[in-house]
Amino acid sequence: MKNIGIESENLESARAGNQEAFEQLIEPHRRELLVHCYRILGSFDDAEDALQEMLLRAWKNLYSFEGRSSLRAWLYKIATNTCLDALDTRKRRGLPKELYGRGDPGQPLPVPSKETIWIEPFPDEMIDGQPQIYPEARYEIRESITLAFVAALQELPGRQRAVLLLRDVMGWNADEAAEILDMTTAAANSALQRARETLKQSAERATRPSPGRLNEQLSSLLARYVAAWEAADSSALVALLREDVALTMPPIPVWFGGGADIQAFLDGYLFKSFDPFRVKLVPVKFNGSAAFAVYQMDKDGIYRAAALHILTIENGQISEIDDFLTFDGQLFEKFNLPLMA
């Protein structure tokens, strides 16, 4: 009751033009709205832009909030519509291996792409403290930000994408989701059914299990992964990989598939790129998955930001390594990761 009273006071003050009161009104919902925008758009940067646009729309239209629904539902409505508008001007994002051709480890690497069209990383810390998932939700909160799940969402038309998130991830009921999307309940239910069918067709990719809590087997796997990289031991690394594993390296528009090609790339190029090749891997939390910040030693012996590894692990083997490279440290700065280790 106290929180409701504070919200009501801030609402009245914000309507009267108090910017600080508006910020206090929005703050409890800011992170979950950012995550919602990320799921729809597949981009951390685009999600931040959409959130800022949404806040501007909410500020300008605060007078129209009549309290017939909760403030949270009203904010979700604005955020969802802002993201749907943004989709009209953006290319569909996907996993790097969906966007680019498989590489030949014997050929030179292509130049980095200047256009960011892949699913971008998202830090787990942004989802901490979010409201508890309703019992109706079909997906766990961290499962719903894995790279594979977000990529599967991008295949859906905008409104199908939104209604599936509202119903199956956030747990809104049918009437609430329809109200947020300005649809009839019947239309919203129909869109949800089509969305579920599409996701079901790509269920293997969309529902890959994420590691969750470290168990003894997973802990051993990740320790061996770190040791293999830090020793530049390609054989030890390949032993941890599934036969059809993929290694992607955005922004370089190519990927390598299978243990043999990955080992050839490592031994024939990457591990020879510096003499000696030395890296440190620091555990981080991204996209509900096992992940590492990678620091590479330069000629002065300083370990500098080099890449962000996000792993997909299935049945005790690594089935995908999404190796997000940073050549200028900006990727690490974006997520407040140290630039040196």
Side-chain angles (χ1 to χ4, degrees), residues 230-268:
E230 294 186 346
D233 187 340
S234 64
S235 296
L237 180 60
V238 169
L240 308 176
L241 308 181
R242 202 170 69 176
E243 185 177 351
D244 61 347
V245 65
L247 169 65
T248 76
M249 298 173 291
I252 297 178
V254 71
W255 62 277
F256 296 110
D261 277 6
I262 289 175
Q263 186 166 18
F265 166 70
L266 295 176
D267 290 337

Side-chain angles (χ1 to χ4, degrees), residues 281-303:
L281 274 65
V282 178
V284 290
K285 296 180 179 180
F286 277 78
N287 291 93
S289 305
F292 296 92
V294 182
Y295 298 85
Q296 185 166 357
M297 188 178 73
D298 65 13
K299 58 182 177 59
D300 298 318
I302 299 173
Y303 285 87

Side-chain angles (χ1 to χ4, degrees), residues 128-144:
D128 292 342
Q130 283 200 36
Q132 292 295 318
I133 292 294
Y134 294 106
E136 294 82 0
R138 292 188 169 201
Y139 298 97
E140 294 181 358
I141 194 74
R142 279 176 169 75
E143 180 187 3
S144 68

Side-chain angles (χ1 to χ4, degrees), residues 311-341:
L311 310 183
T312 300
I313 299 172
E314 301 178 79
N315 300 320
Q317 292 183 303
I318 298 169
S319 59
E320 188 160 331
I321 304 171
D322 288 297
D323 180 5
F324 296 90
L325 304 176
T326 180
F327 302 112
D328 54 12
Q330 288 188 14
L331 180 66
F332 279 45
E333 289 178 336
K334 180 193 303 186
F335 298 120
N336 297 314
L337 296 173
L339 294 178
M340 294 182 288

